[in-house]
Amino acid sequence: MNKENSVTQNLSPLYNYSNGSWVYDPKGKVTRYDNTCKAIFKGWNCISSNKSNARDISNWLWKPNDYSLPQFDPVQFLQQFRNTNIGFVGDSLNRNMFVSLVCTLKRVSKEVKKWRPAGADRGFTFLHYNLTVAYHRTNLLAHYGRWSACVNGGVLKGFGYKEGFRVDLDIPDGTWEEAPSFHDVLILNIGHWWWAPSKFDPIKFPMLFFEKGLPVIPPIKPEIGLDIVLKNMIFYVNRRMRPAGIRIFCTQSPRYFEEGDWDQGGSCQRVQPLLPEQVNRFFSLERNGTNAETRLANQHMYKVLEGSNFHILDVSHMSEFRADAHPSTAGGKKHSDCMHWCLPGITDTWNDLRVAYLNDT
């Protein structure tokens, strides 16, 4: 896909691949990469960490109800996206998908330049194809930092706030502010950090929102702040990105903790996917349990993105079944990692889904 070629702005895929089920196939997928790929973060390398079911994770294949989801061909992908820049912008779950793609492409294209384009956390250019894939780390999409009443209390001090985190609703995080003008395809995600009391304690270190350099008064709740940030960042991307660029928002990647959150002894020891009735029990908003944030975040995303020129890539539903595919305590972790995904693993299927959507538009 050359930069000068027109790309459809409003992505409307012909097929719905998001509804389906996981089917076990002992032969599994054709191996696209293995645990020797150096781009894999150590904590996600479940094969090297000797997770008991690590080699079995990829033997579960996603089967959409009405259509066949092909495993994407990396050589064809490199040819199709020649002279293209692809940027993943978001938290570590987007990095999970980024690494899956990089490892898959490196298996068939060895001439690779490692660098940090447009302020990216990391990036690779596949030189034979002039295809760049980069990851821009950002937790909230918006710029944020520590705030203290001792330095600049002002009106917020009058509301009883002594310290917290200042979140600028209308300013993008500096790690990705140049990404829209650099990339031809932009894949964003958001969500986990907005419901992270261990990071933004609502009592000790609350989110304090600012707009146009001034505190929002009266102070607003994080869920309202999320809606405003989404609206502002959509506007920012559209203002900076070329009209023919492809804009994708990934839905929330589900985390899976049983018997408490990550810092409360919660764990994920299952070795097979959940059944449909188990999925509803663990992720239902009505239960308001540890894992309900997935669907809550998606409600906000769908509401704000409705009518926009962003395509929503639904990875949530298929992923909710895969309680077996998290790193858990593999490698001697102090706390169970029931948020990220083993690699190779389920984010390989996310990339199948993403490429299928791109090809079907």
Side-chain angles (χ1 to χ4, degrees):
M1 184 184 71
N2 295 320
K3 290 184 181 180
E4 60 267 27
N5 291 346
S6 176
V7 178
T8 303
Q9 191 174 32
N10 290 299
L11 297 180
S12 300
L14 300 174
Y15 308 112
N16 181 356
Y17 298 104
S18 299
N19 294 320
S21 59
W22 291 96
V23 178
Y24 186 76
D25 181 350
K27 295 182 180 179
K29 297 181 179 180
V30 176
T31 303
R32 60 181 83 191
Y33 64 92
D34 59 27
N35 58 307
T36 63
C37 178
K38 294 181 180 180
I40 301 176
F41 176 62
K42 181 180 178 181
W44 306 339
N45 198 326
C46 295
I47 294 176
S48 295
S49 297
N50 297 313
K51 188 173 190 284
S52 63
N53 69 325
R55 295 187 182 275
D56 213 28
I57 289 173
S58 295
N59 289 339
W60 289 92
L61 308 182
W62 180 250
K63 300 292 185 182
N65 290 338
D66 301 315
Y67 307 101
S68 175
L69 176 63
Q71 178 176 319
F72 88 88
D73 181 335
V75 175
Q76 180 180 338
F77 182 88
L78 286 162
Q79 293 171 343
Q80 180 182 358
F81 289 90
R82 185 186 296 272
N83 300 322
T84 301
N85 299 327
I86 300 175
F88 291 81
V89 175
D91 59 30
S92 52
L93 278 306
N94 239 13
R95 179 183 170 188
N96 232 165
M97 182 162 59
F98 158 79
V99 171
S100 165
L101 176 61
V102 167
C103 287
T104 302
L105 298 180
K106 288 179 72 173
R107 191 71 180 264
V108 298
S109 183
K110 305 297 184 182
E111 296 183 34
V112 181
K113 172 187 175 182
K114 184 178 180 180
W115 63 306
R116 301 175 61 186
D121 184 69
R122 60 200 64 216
F124 300 88
T125 295
F126 295 85
L127 298 174
H128 183 69
Y129 301 91
N130 192 32
L131 166 64
T132 294
V133 183
Y135 165 64
H136 301 258
R137 177 183 173 87
T138 175
N139 297 325
L140 304 177
L141 290 184
H143 174 269
Y144 76 98
R146 291 294 294 268
W147 176 90
S148 172
C150 295
V151 178
N152 185 20
V155 67
L156 288 173
K157 189 174 182 180
F159 279 87
Y161 293 106
K162 297 181 179 180
E163 53 186 339
F165 285 90
R166 168 175 172 161
V167 181
D168 289 284
L169 296 166
D170 51 349
I171 302 176
D173 199 345
T175 58
W176 73 280
E177 61 182 345
E178 299 300 324
S181 57
F182 180 82
H183 293 293
D184 307 293
V185 180
L186 207 58
I187 302 144
L188 294 90
N189 84 326
I190 194 174
H192 283 293
W193 283 71
W194 287 85
W195 280 272
S198 61
K199 306 293 183 182
F200 303 108
D201 187 296
I203 303 299
K204 296 180 179 179
F205 299 102
M207 288 180 167
L208 301 171
F209 296 99
F210 284 67
E211 195 164 26
K212 296 181 180 179
L214 299 174
V216 176
I217 301 298
I220 56 177
K221 295 181 178 180
E223 53 265 33
I224 298 175
L226 173 59
D227 289 345
I228 298 173
V229 165
L230 282 169
K231 291 176 183 177
N232 286 338
M233 296 308 121
I234 289 171
F235 177 80
Y236 178 78
V237 169
N238 285 334
R239 183 163 55 88
R240 297 293 301 272
M241 195 172 188
R242 64 191 184 88
I246 295 177
R247 304 145 169 85
I248 298 174
F249 235 112
C250 288
T251 59
Q252 181 86 329
S253 171
R255 60 195 195 123
Y256 186 90
F257 288 91
E258 290 190 81
E259 307 301 328
D261 213 329
W262 70 273
D263 57 348
Q264 300 168 347
S267 64
C268 45
Q269 301 296 329
R270 296 178 184 255
V271 294
Q272 289 190 337
L274 299 178
L275 299 172
E277 56 270 24
Q278 292 174 310
V279 167
N280 290 330
R281 181 159 55 92
F282 281 102
F283 294 98
S284 169
L285 284 173
E286 286 72 24
R287 285 172 51 89
N288 195 30
T290 300
N291 307 295
E293 70 172 43
T294 302
R295 298 183 181 183
L296 181 61
N298 285 345
Q299 282 186 347
H300 288 267
M301 185 181 303
Y302 277 106
K303 178 181 67 176
V304 174
L305 292 176
E306 183 178 3
S308 75
N309 56 354
F310 277 76
H311 170 64
I312 296 179
L313 184 68
D314 181 7
V315 300
S316 301
H317 179 65
M318 65 165 58
S319 304
E320 285 180 340
F321 292 90
R322 298 306 306 272
D324 60 307
H326 296 289
S328 186
T329 55
K333 297 181 182 67
K334 183 178 179 180
H335 298 287
S336 293
D337 184 353
C338 305
M339 178 179 291
H340 302 102
W341 303 98
C342 294
L343 292 174
I346 188 175
T347 51
D348 302 332
T349 304
W350 291 5
N351 276 311
D352 292 341
L353 187 68
R354 178 181 53 80
V355 173
Y357 271 121
L358 290 175
N359 290 337
D360 290 342
T361 56

